[in-house]
Amino acid sequence: MEALLIPFLDATIRTATPLAYAALGELVTERSGVINIGMEGIIIAGCLGGLVAAGAGGAAMGFLGGALAGAGMAAIFAFFVLRLRADAIITGTALTLLGLGLTGTLYRGLFGLEGAALGTPSIAPIALPGLSSLPLVGPVFFTQTGMTYLLYLFVPALAWWLARTQAGLALRAVGESRAAALAAGLDVQRLRWGAILFGGAMGGLCGATLVLAQVGTFTEGMSAGRGFIAIAIVVLGRWRTVGTTLAALIFGGAFALQYLLQAAGWALPYHLFLALPYLLTLILLAALRGRAEAPAELASQESWSRA
Amino acid sequence: SGGERSGGRESAFQVALLTPGPISDQAWNATAYHGLERIRDSLGASISHIQTKTPAEFEENFRQYGTKGYDLVIGHGFEFQDAARRVGPQFPKTLFVTTGGEGTGPNVVALSFAFDEPSYLAGMAAAAITKTGVIGGIGGTELPPVKLGFEAFLAGARLVRPDIRLLVAYLGNWDDAGAGKEQALAQLNQKADVIYQNADAAGLGVFQAVRQAKGVWVIGSNADQNRLAPEVTLGSVLIDVPHAFLLLARQAQLRAVRGPTIHFGTASDVVRWVPNPLAPAPPAKVLAQMDSVRAVFAAGGRPVVTPR
Amino acid sequence: MTEALLALWDGAFGSSYAIWSATLVRSAPLLWLGLGVALAFRAGVLNIGAEGQFLMGAIGATAVAQVVGRSVPGLVMIPLMALVGGVAGAGWAGIAAWLRQRFGVLEVISTIMLNFIALATIGWMVRGPLQEPTRIYPQSAEIPWSAQWPFLIPGQRLHLGFVLGLLACAIAWVVLTRTATGFRIRAVGASPSAATSAGQIDVGRTVMRVFLVSGACAGLAGAAEVGGVTWALYEGISPGYGYTAIAVALLARLHPGWIVVSAIFFGALEAGASAMQRDAGVPSVVVQVIVAVIILGVLAGSQRRTRVDALRVRAGSGR
Amino acid sequence: MTQRAATEPMGADPRDHEALALEGITVRFGPVTALDGAHCTIRRGTVHAILGENGAGKTTLMRAAFGWLMPDAGTIRLHGAPVTFRTSAEAIAQGIGMVHQHFMLIPAMTVTENIALGGRGRFDAGTTAARITAVADGAGLPVDPVARVRDLAVSAQQRVEIVKALVRDARILILDEPTAVLTPDQATELLRWVRTFADAGGTVVLITHKLREAFAVADDLTVLRQGRTVLSAARALVTEAHLIEALTGAGVGPGGAGGPVPYHPMPTARVADAPEVDDPAPVLRLDGVRYVDPRGVTRLRAVDLAVYPGEILGVIGVEGSGPRELLRILAGRLTPTTGRVTRPDAVGFVPEDRLHDAVIPSFSLTENLVLADGGEARGWMDWSTWRTITRDLLATADVRAAGPDVPMATLSGGNQQRFVVGRERRRAAAALIVEHPTRGLDLTASARILADLRALGGNPRPAVVFHSADLDEVLAVATRVVACFEGRVREVSPPSDPTDRTPYTRAMTGSVETTAVSSGGTR
Ligand SMILES: Nc1ncnc2c1ncn2[C@@H]1O[C@H](COP(=O)(O)OP(=O)(O)OP(=O)(O)O)[C@@H](O)[C@H]1O
Ligand SMILES: Nc1ncnc2c1ncn2[C@@H]1O[C@H](COP(=O)(O)OP(=O)(O)OP(=O)(O)O)[C@@H](O)[C@H]1O
Ligand SMILES: [Mg+2]
Ligand SMILES: [Mg+2]
């Protein structure tokens, strides 16, 4: 049993880690009252940014590069949505297209058709001394890469920041009511710029994690829908930090289960396994019941209900 | 950047290629694009390439190339066969070729690669080196050549080691290298110690998984992938698409292509098992066995495959 | 660059073939899908699931064409395919509608999940129940002749589905502006509370019906694509039409008339994108960048409306 | 302008006393000039009332003072020194607080979070809550720091808004129509608080439509009309007649300069003049009605009530005691938990939140008229006929609008309300239910709506049930009054002295013997 369980949970955490970065970034963006459905384009930009920067300055540099690339894409989104007041959904759609195209173009330009070798600088899992020898939890939670450990610190930090700092409070307020935030003297534009850029940087980190902590190479379109999944994770997590993290774990688990079931040689059409994570989410959403409470400003986005 | 038209005047030999995926995948699509480049470089042809997604686009672009008077239009994959069959009769001067599928007329021709033959040999090599008796196969989506490759792989392995077990998994796409790696890790965890990947760009993730594990091997496909990770690659099931394309184009220039299907088997040297010289060679007994099987294939014999 | 843009224009509008066989053929599904999305958004339903509903419509239409196509004339077969495709799309939307009504699951997320599930379903269909008889290729057999929708212009690929799409937009426009039902839909979308309180409209029921109709439109698009373009079911039948449709609907400001314009715009963009690769040698990835920039450009250009409130009521430092 | 002579309040050098001075303030919204050189000076330690019709620019002027918007022209002085606020944060930092007409609270958040909003550094809910409680109790405005705003009654929300300003050390407090949403008792209490605050050295700007309030509490008055200051003077120098003339630009009564509707001084107790009725059958009738809301709170218990044709039933009662549910059950918008409701098929209903529940602001007037038939309408819409009907309605209900095709949003509040009342009357001839008929409306508009209600005619005359927080208004219009208290509904017998309100206020607080309203009805 344990022989199956540990690798499964291990894969769950590993798969969930990049998803959690993107979802937490999207969470912060949405809590400011803006939905960025261009997360897919941001993630793939982070993938390439991570690859290029890591090639130039090592893995640590790579994560920085990924975050910057993601934030750069998000800046385009913010400029259109906040400055030009363009429709957030169309802008997000275009951003995804832009990200996929731009990364492909740059990748081919930089590496030619032969591509980057598999030898991209990347980070290996580190067994945390002491903790990693705990039964079950040790091999699952404490033999991961630094990016997972960073997440262990980041999730409580974000939760604390949102709940216990004035800036976090301000961010939530902007997402609930632009008017009330204005009345309280908050700088709505700046907060939203900040939230979108932060979301972009997190999406970029998701991409960099994929490349530098997981796959160790870049392929065109390797984001493979993670941007959309991140948006779903935020909804499943009910726009809460811990909820979103758990939802990322659920998705990670569903994917890991999918891999496991196929590898175990179950004689069912493999499409059933591919659909599993999404089916599971639907069932969970129905089981949890009740409309999730979205930040009120999200619902008032012009584009969503304009008549 | 890649695919500008080149190679001379309008009257030049015009060749077009349609790929179903990005040409940076270092596998199926990349090797076709290299083939196109080789046609340009060797024959001075004027070339055009387009990446297409849907059947509607296949047909539209076949027509466009036909209208423009292209001499040779290659759809790289069996999925182009319906479009070729429909468009071909309207443009008798253009030769429509699909790699895979079936040809249907004088100017609608299919190239058939005996992908199963080197896959069979790869299975024998895998069976010789596996310690656990479990081997894996990871595909992008379940397409006929992919599936056939895995079936032959298993059959070849069984010849050497009758009790061998093959795990097969599909990723559902050809780009998600992350999924490729995780699926490989899952198979490794199920004791597989040789994995045959046929997932194009996503397959790079399989290479990574194998590189990080100890004492396990990966087998590449379509292109010669031995140099991707020489320390863990057992060999590659190669389709020498550039070679095949050049042969095809030469014949096409002479208007000597004979359809409806052109078969490239072991005899043509277009498909072959390319062992990685850095990997340990199978025991002499197996090597001898492989040689005799290859001889059978070269003489026109086919691998015996029982569908799983 | 100029060469690329010229190729884009030529590929979209440069010849009669470009217009009738490339641009408008791609616009046909976008018309239906954009309309479906717009109707849903009009009623306040955030249906992001047009992609999945499209695929289910394509599956349904293929299935019925395979099962009864050989024994029924085209005059019956084509409406039947449209019907079954529409019902299949509506049924797929109905799952999301039911989840919303019964369990309060936000349709934004359920429809995205259903898109992924539909993708897996079509993958299974072409390898399972609907696979062609030789059982080699992951695709269905070609649908019988009677199930193939007529072309409108000899020598061009423009098919019946496009005209039906135009008709649907016109009907939707008439319904929205001239009928009580349309009025109810608009009222529910504009203000559910006023619709309930002042109009005593059953908002839940209106929403539910519009959701189904929206799914039916998407399903019909799938049926039209199979009947008019591909004549068989393929795994990769949609390049993501259902997602493009959201942009189509929003760019048209959810107005059925403008959807025609907007669908043709996006159809032209995709046709032109092909031409840029084919005729100007622009790599596909660069083409994607150009398309994204064009969309952003159109977006920036179309947002220059008077923004009295935005300019005056200061958003902090924003000026 | 006419009153310019009396503009400067008493005092040798006004600057010694001035807390906030606004001069030549001009604000344009695109083509609309909302303020056209408006001015006023607010003295320290005083209550300064700002009056004016809907759209006169009161809110805009105070938003300029609060840094919410920057005027196109004009100067602002704070304690004698010129200031420029680029954001409201700057105004807040300078000790200015504003309670907006529509509360700027976030329903999903707690009181503490709402009040803490806009600060810096850490946010410690515990410490903040303690400080809130301290400030609130010190000021005599109790609030529950851990409650969520959406669970609070309107009056409690208002206290939160004021405490929010006080916690930030606001010494100048701008209150935009604070009493509009309060019951008479609550309003009195608030005004008393305002007075205390000013007496203790604070400064209050009070925007209001109610002359009585202005006279009762203010030291100085400013009246705006069409974006200009037409009167700014110490209260002592102003008579009611002055004020009304300044407000409407017309004299009082029929002899005036032809203002559209003369001002009706209130109250005009009419409770005694019950209508002559031939038909004894009630139009609306409740028998043993009980209502438990979705949260499980019993809102109405064992209510028996009958409403007859031609009568105008005024319902009084503080928020939460049942009037809202009573009216909505009569209107068919709520289904009682138990009990029997008898009512005609169609009942006209004017909800309190017009823009949200009664009309669709982006729709045309014609469409808003049709909305009332929304649920039942079938088939084709004959828009030209509907447009004609709308035109008729605009004429009969005296709604001033450019035509039947303009969006509802372009109508003034008073005209919107007249439109809704007219529409509901058209739809249902027999019964009309009206919640807060004059909420948010200015003097003239309120007077017109009340006049409309009084004048409702037809054959048979409709039964009207209305609820208002303003007792004066109820007494001015109703032919019979019932009071809600803790879910029970009692009829209030009119006192012998028409100016005596104690029976009514007592009935609302449950402190007197009232007659039970049987379904037979004491008429
Ligand atoms: N944000 C805005 N954009 C455009 N016009 C506005 C805006 N705010 C106010 N106005 C216009 O400015 C004028 C003054 O409005 P303001 O809200 O100051 O009036 P008010 O005196 O407070 O009225 P009320 O008694 O109804 O509250 C009105 O004509 C109004 O329509
Ligand atoms: N937001 C707006 N957009 C366009 N026009 C507006 C807007 N707000 C007010 N108006 C117009 O400005 C004019 C002045 O508004 P105001 O509120 O003073 O109306 P009014 O004539 O006093 O009516 P009432 O007696 O009902 O208050 C009205 O005719 C109204 O239609
Ligand atoms: Mg007025
Ligand atoms: Mg106001």
Side-chain angles (χ1 to χ4, degrees):
Chain A
M1 190 60 218
E2 198 158 289
L4 273 186
L5 195 61
I6 288 178
F8 163 70
L9 292 176
D10 184 39
T12 298
I13 305 273
R14 212 167 37 234
T15 310
T17 298
L19 289 177
Y21 275 100
L24 290 169
E26 182 71 25
L27 169 77
V28 169
T29 302
E30 289 190 18
R31 286 305 289 258
S32 83
V34 184
I35 185 161
N36 183 354
I37 68 160
M39 197 41 119
E40 184 76 8
I42 288 174
I43 295 176
I44 192 74
C47 289
L48 187 67
L51 178 86
V52 172
M61 199 62 172
F63 288 103
L64 190 66
L68 283 178
M73 292 293 288
I76 299 175
F77 177 84
F79 177 79
F80 271 84
V81 172
L82 298 181
R83 188 67 182 275
L84 301 182
R85 305 198 134 222
D87 184 281
I89 304 295
I90 311 184
T91 309
T93 310
L95 197 70
T96 294
L97 212 56
L98 187 69
L100 293 171
L102 212 52
T103 51
T105 307
L106 291 173
Y107 180 63
R108 292 183 194 182
L110 291 170
F111 295 92
L113 284 187
E114 296 316 309
L118 294 175
T120 303
S122 52
I123 58 172
I126 308 162
L128 289 188
L131 291 172
S132 61
S133 48
L134 294 171
L136 193 63
V137 294
V140 170
F141 290 98
F142 301 112
T143 38
Q144 298 286 349
T145 65
M147 287 312 277
T148 304
Y149 299 140
L150 192 63
L151 211 51
Y152 294 166
L153 302 178
F154 179 76
V155 170
L158 179 64
W160 180 85
W161 183 82
L162 275 175
R164 295 295 170 82
T165 68
Q166 287 287 349
L169 181 62
L171 184 86
R172 290 187 281 135
V174 170
E176 288 292 340
S177 163
R178 182 176 173 277
L182 279 174
L186 299 179
D187 190 335
V188 174
Q189 286 288 88
R190 218 178 67 187
L191 279 162
R192 287 192 173 159
W193 264 97
I196 292 172
L197 290 182
F198 177 81
M202 291 290 283
L205 276 181
C206 161
T209 305
L210 269 176
V211 169
L212 302 174
Q214 234 183 326
V215 189
T217 189
F218 177 87
T219 62
E220 279 178 43
M222 69 184 292
S223 45
R226 284 178 178 79
F228 298 103
I229 291 171
I231 293 166
I233 287 175
V234 175
V235 182
L236 185 61
R238 302 191 164 206
W239 288 274
R240 310 209 170 261
T241 313
V242 175
T244 299
T245 312
L246 289 178
L249 275 176
I250 289 172
F251 262 92
F255 283 113
L257 187 65
Q258 189 268 106
Y259 303 134
L260 177 73
L261 292 179
Q262 280 208 60
W266 281 33
L268 287 170
Y270 74 94
H271 297 97
L272 194 64
F273 301 123
L274 294 182
L276 184 76
Y278 312 108
L279 273 173
L280 206 67
T281 308
L282 278 187
I283 293 167
L284 272 175
L285 280 168
L288 290 174
R289 290 213 178 203
R291 271 187 177 260
E293 269 184 38
E297 282 279 312
L298 275 191
S300 74
Q301 289 269 308
E302 220 190 336
S303 64
W304 290 100
S305 53
R306 184 172 45 204
Chain B
S1 52
E4 279 80 41
R5 284 178 302 174
S6 59
R9 288 147 291 141
E10 289 305 307
S11 58
F13 185 53
Q14 288 183 299
V15 183
L17 171 72
L18 288 77
T19 56
I23 55 178
S24 63
D25 67 351
Q26 310 193 44
W28 180 254
N29 300 296
T31 180
Y33 191 71
H34 290 144
L36 186 67
E37 287 179 323
R38 191 175 292 179
I39 294 175
R40 178 192 62 198
D41 297 342
S42 305
L43 304 180
S46 149
I47 62 168
S48 171
H49 163 253
I50 182 167
Q51 181 183 328
T52 50
K53 288 169 285 198
T54 62
E57 285 178 316
F58 304 161
E59 190 176 332
E60 179 198 318
N61 285 293
F62 275 165
R63 271 178 215 279
Q64 292 274 15
Y65 284 124
T67 309
K68 294 206 157 67
Y70 270 67
D71 302 281
L72 172 61
V73 179
I74 306 171
H76 192 45
F78 75 89
E79 55 265 54
F80 295 89
Q81 63 176 330
D82 289 354
R85 180 171 47 78
R86 280 194 223 165
V87 176
Q90 293 167 37
F91 302 96
K93 291 200 180 126
T94 301
L95 177 64
F96 292 95
V97 175
T98 60
T99 53
E102 281 142 47
T104 53
N107 70 326
V108 178
V109 171
L111 302 188
S112 146
F113 298 111
F115 193 68
D116 50 345
E117 293 172 8
S119 295
Y120 192 93
L121 295 170
M124 295 175 72
I129 204 164
T130 177
K131 295 194 174 67
T132 57
V134 182
I135 54 179
I138 294 177
T141 59
E142 193 197 270
L143 299 184
V146 180
K147 195 170 161 215
L148 184 68
F150 290 152
E151 283 165 357
F153 182 62
L154 177 63
R158 283 211 171 127
L159 189 69
V160 174
R161 191 168 163 173
D163 65 337
I164 208 156
R165 213 157 69 86
L166 174 70
L167 309 173
V168 173
Y170 293 98
L171 304 176
N173 67 70
W174 304 87
D175 321 302
D176 191 347
K181 183 174 180 192
E182 283 300 331
Q183 187 60 65
L185 289 174
Q187 290 195 344
L188 294 178
N189 196 55
Q190 294 287 317
K191 303 257 182 316
D193 57 359
V194 184
I195 299 179
Y196 176 24
Q197 78 81 18
N198 191 352
D200 294 353
L204 296 175
V206 178
F207 278 88
Q208 285 294 22
V210 171
R211 283 180 65 198
Q212 284 167 20
K214 283 197 184 63
V216 296
W217 300 93
V218 60
I219 292 172
S221 62
N222 297 316
D224 180 351
Q225 297 187 314
N226 291 351
R227 76 211 137 65
L228 281 180
E231 71 284 7
V232 293
T233 308
L234 199 57
S236 293
V237 174
L238 175 77
I239 305 180
D240 193 347
V241 175
H243 185 48
F245 277 11
L246 192 58
L247 291 176
L248 172 78
R250 284 216 175 98
Q251 289 194 313
Q253 258 185 330
L254 302 171
R255 307 228 157 260
V257 174
R258 296 279 168 270
T261 299
I262 304 174
H263 186 78
F264 290 104
T266 300
S268 70
D269 210 28
V270 163
V271 295
R272 55 184 189 272
W273 163 242
V274 186
N276 179 9
L278 301 179
K285 188 177 134 246
V286 177
L287 270 183
Q289 212 176 359
M290 285 172 73
D291 281 340
S292 61
V293 168
R294 190 181 296 110
V296 172
F297 291 160
R302 304 279 296 145
V304 178
V305 168
T306 36
R308 288 155 41 83
Chain C
M1 193 64 206
T2 331
E3 198 196 349
L5 291 180
L6 274 177
L8 178 109
W9 176 259
D10 276 349
F13 299 113
S15 63
S16 61
Y17 182 84
I19 297 172
W20 302 112
S21 294
T23 294
L24 295 187
V25 170
R26 288 160 201 261
S27 309
L30 293 179
L31 271 182
W32 279 105
L33 290 161
L35 181 63
V37 170
L39 284 177
F41 281 27
R42 271 285 177 109
V45 174
L46 304 181
N47 179 8
I48 313 294
E51 181 78 4
Q53 292 142 20
F54 174 91
L55 295 179
M56 296 320 274
I59 292 173
T62 310
V64 70
Q66 300 295 19
V67 172
V68 301
R70 249 158 275 276
S71 47
V72 170
L75 224 53
V76 179
M77 194 58 232
I78 290 168
L80 189 62
M81 278 171 82
L83 181 75
V84 173
V87 168
W92 203 243
I95 298 175
W98 176 72
L99 286 170
R100 169 181 158 144
Q101 199 83 332
R102 177 81 176 69
F103 300 102
V105 177
L106 292 173
E107 69 272 15
V108 193
I109 179 174
S110 62
T111 49
I112 294 178
M113 297 297 107
L114 285 166
N115 285 347
F116 284 108
I117 297 172
L119 215 52
T121 308
I122 194 170
W124 171 64
M125 280 287 168
V126 296
R127 292 181 178 83
L130 289 178
Q131 193 174 20
E132 46 84 33
T134 69
R135 300 226 151 248
I136 298 173
Y137 303 108
Q139 64 187 55
S140 77
E142 187 167 299
I143 55 175
W145 191 82
S146 68
Q148 297 177 6
W149 295 21
F151 291 131
L152 298 175
I153 304 167
Q156 303 289 1
R157 295 167 63 225
L158 189 63
H159 57 88
L160 182 65
F162 180 80
V163 178
L164 292 182
L166 288 183
L167 205 64
C169 287
I171 291 172
W173 183 72
V174 170
V175 168
L176 281 179
T177 56
R178 307 267 150 196
T179 70
T181 308
F183 180 75
R184 268 197 292 278
I185 293 172
R186 290 192 289 132
V188 164
S191 170
S193 55
T196 312
S197 177
Q200 297 191 276
I201 295 170
D202 186 338
V203 172
R205 209 168 67 182
T206 307
V207 157
M208 197 67 23
R209 287 182 179 175
V210 174
F211 209 151
L212 295 182
V213 169
S214 158
C217 284
L220 243 148
E225 195 70 1
V226 168
V229 181
T230 67
W231 297 343
L233 189 66
Y234 301 89
E235 200 169 12
I237 193 171
S238 167
Y241 281 138
Y243 298 103
T244 310
I246 298 169
V248 168
L250 291 176
L251 204 62
R253 304 252 149 95
L254 310 183
H255 188 291
W258 284 105
I259 281 176
V260 176
V261 178
S262 165
I264 292 176
F265 168 73
F266 277 94
L269 215 49
E270 297 220 356
S274 275
M276 279 196 278
Q277 286 193 65
R278 197 176 55 226
D279 302 334
V282 183
S284 60
V285 284
V286 180
V287 168
Q288 277 183 317
V289 175
I290 294 174
V291 170
V293 168
I294 289 175
I295 295 177
L296 288 175
V298 168
L299 211 49
S302 69
Q303 298 296 324
R304 296 191 187 285
R305 286 165 293 154
T306 48
R307 298 196 306 265
V308 173
D309 188 276
L311 291 176
R312 289 297 326 186
V313 177
R314 302 175 49 81
S317 72
R319 245 274 135 122
Chain D
M1 287 159 281
T2 40
Q3 310 291 330
R4 198 72 169 113
T7 281
E8 289 307 326
M10 307 172 290
D13 181 357
R15 298 218 176 171
D16 291 347
H17 303 283
E18 88 178 25
L20 185 65
L22 301 154
E23 285 182 359
I25 305 291
T26 299
V27 173
R28 280 184 280 270
F29 295 107
V32 181
T33 301
L35 287 177
D36 185 6
H39 64 89
C40 79
T41 301
I42 289 130
R43 294 181 299 140
R44 209 172 300 146
T46 63
V47 178
H48 192 121
I50 308 236
L51 298 100
E53 297 196 310
N54 291 125
K58 307 180 291 293
T59 300
T60 306
L61 184 65
M62 284 304 130
R63 283 183 173 175
F66 185 59
W68 178 287
L69 46 79
M70 268 169 71
D72 294 292
T75 52
I76 302 172
R77 280 196 314 274
L78 186 65
H79 303 301
V83 286
T84 312
F85 297 131
R86 274 167 304 151
T87 65
S88 23
E90 293 176 13
I92 292 169
Q94 301 272 349
I96 302 179
M98 181 159 178
V99 176
H100 298 265
Q101 194 170 358
H102 304 283
F103 296 157
M104 295 293 175
L105 294 172
I106 297 170
M109 288 188 170
T110 65
V111 169
T112 306
E113 288 175 318
N114 267 287
I115 292 179
L117 201 58
R120 304 204 163 273
R122 275 199 58 189
F123 163 59
D124 181 342
T127 336
T128 314
R131 179 160 153 69
I132 290 168
T133 311
V135 171
D137 292 352
L141 297 168
V143 296
D144 173 8
V146 297
R148 268 187 206 284
V149 166
R150 63 161 167 247
D151 296 332
L152 295 181
V154 180
S155 55
Q157 291 188 12
Q158 186 171 63
R159 286 200 298 276
V160 173
E161 282 278 25
I162 296 174
V163 170
K164 186 162 110 185
L166 297 182
V167 165
R168 292 166 188 185
D169 300 319
R171 300 304 296 150
I172 302 174
L173 202 55
I174 303 167
L175 307 176
D176 195 350
E177 297 193 31
T179 56
V181 293
L182 300 181
T183 63
D185 284 351
Q186 289 167 339
T188 312
E189 206 173 309
L190 175 74
L191 294 179
R192 201 173 290 141
W193 182 86
V194 161
R195 193 64 255 172
T196 327
F197 182 74
D199 291 345
T203 306
V204 178
V205 180
L206 180 78
I207 300 178
T208 181
H209 285 301
K210 296 177 185 168
L211 306 194
R212 240 158 46 91
E213 276 176 10
F215 279 117
V217 73
D219 300 295
D220 299 332
L221 305 168
T222 292
V223 178
L224 296 180
R225 177 145 42 86
Q226 291 170 5
R228 293 166 209 249
T229 303
V230 291
L231 172 75
S232 189
R235 180 197 55 194
L237 304 181
V238 181
T239 65
E240 191 170 308
H242 276 139
L243 202 54
I244 292 160
E245 188 185 336
L247 278 168
T248 59
V252 185
V261 168
Y263 169 61
H264 292 271
M266 284 189 281
T268 322
R270 300 178 65 250
V271 173
D273 0 324
E276 305 289 321
V277 186
D278 315 321
D279 180 4
V283 182
L284 298 163
R285 185 178 165 136
L286 303 183
D287 292 296
V289 161
R290 204 168 78 87
Y291 179 73
V292 183
D293 74 8
R295 288 190 195 163
V297 181
T298 303
R299 292 294 182 185
L300 293 175
R301 23 188 124 230
V303 174
D304 298 320
L305 183 69
V307 190
Y308 293 85
E311 75 169 336
I312 302 176
L313 182 69
V315 179
I316 57 176
V318 298
E319 196 184 334
S321 67
R324 184 186 162 86
E325 288 74 16
L326 178 69
L327 265 72
R328 293 200 165 208
I329 286 174
L330 287 172
R333 262 44 176 202
L334 279 182
T335 312
T337 313
T338 55
R340 206 159 58 93
V341 184
T342 318
R343 53 184 203 88
D345 286 339
V347 175
F349 179 54
V350 182
E352 64 177 312
D353 190 349
R354 282 188 293 282
L355 281 177
H356 198 243
D357 294 333
V359 299
I360 300 179
S362 60
F363 277 24
S364 73
L365 301 186
T366 309
E367 288 174 317
N368 272 293
L369 177 83
V370 173
L371 186 61
D373 297 279
E376 295 104 62
R378 290 280 172 272
W380 295 98
M381 301 300 305
D382 182 356
W383 286 114
S384 67
T385 306
W386 283 112
R387 208 169 280 126
T388 311
I389 297 173
T390 308
R391 225 175 258 124
D392 290 349
L393 178 73
L394 296 186
T396 52
D398 193 18
V399 176
R400 277 170 297 151
D405 298 324
V406 300
M408 182 56 86
T410 61
L411 261 62
S412 70
N415 282 315
Q416 285 176 350
Q417 182 71 315
R418 277 202 297 281
F419 179 93
V420 175
V421 171
R423 177 186 77 184
E424 296 302 314
R425 270 276 288 150
R426 203 192 76 81
R427 163 161 83 178
L432 184 64
I433 315 288
V434 187
E435 292 178 345
H436 299 285
T438 65
R439 179 165 281 180
L441 299 186
D442 64 27
L443 201 66
T444 323
S446 302
R448 292 182 58 143
I449 280 291
L450 295 179
D452 289 350
L453 284 183
R454 268 193 302 239
L456 280 181
N459 194 17
R461 300 181 66 196
V464 177
V465 180
F466 81 105
H467 166 58
S468 169
D470 187 336
L471 185 56
D472 291 342
E473 200 166 285
V474 175
L475 297 184
V477 178
T479 56
R480 183 157 70 103
V481 174
V482 295
C484 293
F485 177 70
E486 289 180 348
R488 292 180 201 286
V489 178
R490 303 285 158 116
E491 177 159 352
V492 187
S493 332
S496 43
D497 173 7
T499 59
D500 179 16
R501 294 157 188 235
T502 40
Y504 300 105
T505 50
R506 281 194 186 157
M508 280 193 272
T509 50
S511 57
V512 269
E513 56 306 325
T514 41
T515 34
V517 189
S518 76
S519 47
T522 44
R523 312 222 357 248

